[in-house]
Amino acid sequence: MKLYYDPITVNCRKVVAGLDLIGAGYDAEVLNYFAGDHKQDSFTAINPNAEMPALVDGDLKLWESNAILVYACEKSGANAAYPADPKIRADITRWLLWEGSKWFDACYVYLVENVVKIILDDKPDQEVLSNHAPTFHARAKVLEAALAGRDWLCDDHATIADIAVASPMHLHGLQKLPLDDYPNIRGWMARVEALPSWQKSDPVPHIPAELLAKFG
């Protein structure tokens, strides 16, 4: 398998951390998101959506980060990260779909306003953040309730569901996600951040020093 990715982006970090959790080996081709590598013809031939990451395995060209994680689990037989029990798999699928359709957008506005705009020498739009806050809190309450009394989302250990749902929060401090009222989420995120696979996928070493300096 060959993975095309930029280690500083949300969904690329998801797949890198997830593949490591799974124990799936792959070759890597690092692209530069801010340089527009994902828009080049060589990449859009793999993913016509011009979005990273993408995986090539023989004649299979696979995009959508959550699909990549499921495929890697099934190919490698990773029954810890993706247990064979159909009820647990259904639960994992539910959270993968929820992350892609609801949670990513809930967190992404904070990433754009408080991180991407700073990188681009722009200022966060507080009105945008205020208008978006009710959406974030409505969805955060769903996750908070699901984590009540448990350490992980779907099993008694981390699965690809935890990696996927954590990924939109991966820079939650810089994003300034409003997590004060969500102790279950904070505790769970700390457990995710303690995973070796998560730590090895840290995007900060890949961010140029001059960009990091903009955040103080």
Side-chain angles (χ1 to χ4, degrees):
M1 300 191 297
K2 186 172 184 178
L3 181 69
Y4 296 78
Y5 75 107
D6 183 328
I8 72 172
T9 66
V10 174
N11 287 324
C12 290
R13 185 187 191 177
K14 177 201 297 183
V15 169
V16 170
L19 291 177
D20 191 37
L21 181 74
I22 293 163
Y26 61 93
D27 296 322
E29 180 157 333
V30 177
L31 305 178
N32 187 323
Y33 175 82
F34 284 103
D37 288 354
H38 57 300
K39 298 179 182 179
Q40 300 300 315
D41 291 346
S42 58
F43 183 75
T44 58
I46 299 169
N47 183 359
N49 297 292
E51 295 174 346
M52 292 186 281
L55 185 79
V56 174
D57 189 14
D59 61 356
L60 175 66
K61 297 176 180 177
L62 187 63
W63 28 271
E64 293 298 326
S65 55
N66 290 336
I68 291 171
L69 293 183
V70 171
Y71 174 73
C73 284
E74 292 183 331
K75 178 174 181 173
S76 62
N79 286 335
Y82 190 54
D85 184 322
K87 290 185 178 179
I88 296 177
R89 284 200 172 184
D91 198 20
I92 290 173
T93 299
R94 180 248 304 273
W95 286 109
L96 295 181
L97 293 171
W98 183 81
E99 183 271 330
S101 64
K102 292 183 171 62
W103 189 234
F104 180 89
D105 288 342
C107 299
Y108 192 63
V109 171
Y110 292 91
L111 184 68
V112 170
E113 293 297 327
N114 292 322
V115 179
V116 175
K117 282 192 173 181
I118 300 300
I119 290 174
L120 298 177
D121 295 319
D122 199 354
K123 294 182 179 180
D125 188 325
Q126 295 304 322
E127 183 176 0
V128 168
L129 290 168
S130 296
N131 290 340
H132 180 71
T135 296
F136 174 83
H137 289 294
R139 295 173 185 176
K141 288 176 182 176
V142 172
L143 182 58
E144 178 75 6
L147 289 165
R150 59 185 307 142
D151 289 339
W152 305 101
L153 276 171
C154 302
D155 207 342
D156 60 2
H157 59 271
T159 69
I160 57 172
D162 297 286
I163 296 295
V165 175
S167 293
M169 305 171 59
H170 80 134
L171 296 175
H172 58 90
L174 293 178
Q175 287 171 262
K176 300 181 181 179
L177 288 178
L179 297 174
D180 288 350
D181 295 332
Y182 306 107
N184 295 338
I185 294 178
R186 296 199 309 274
W188 164 77
M189 193 65 193
R191 289 186 286 277
V192 172
E193 291 173 333
L195 293 171
S197 58
W198 189 264
Q199 294 177 356
K200 286 192 286 184
S201 65
D202 185 359
V204 172
H206 302 280
I207 300 175
E210 62 271 18
L211 296 183
L212 287 175
K214 296 182 179 184
F215 299 96

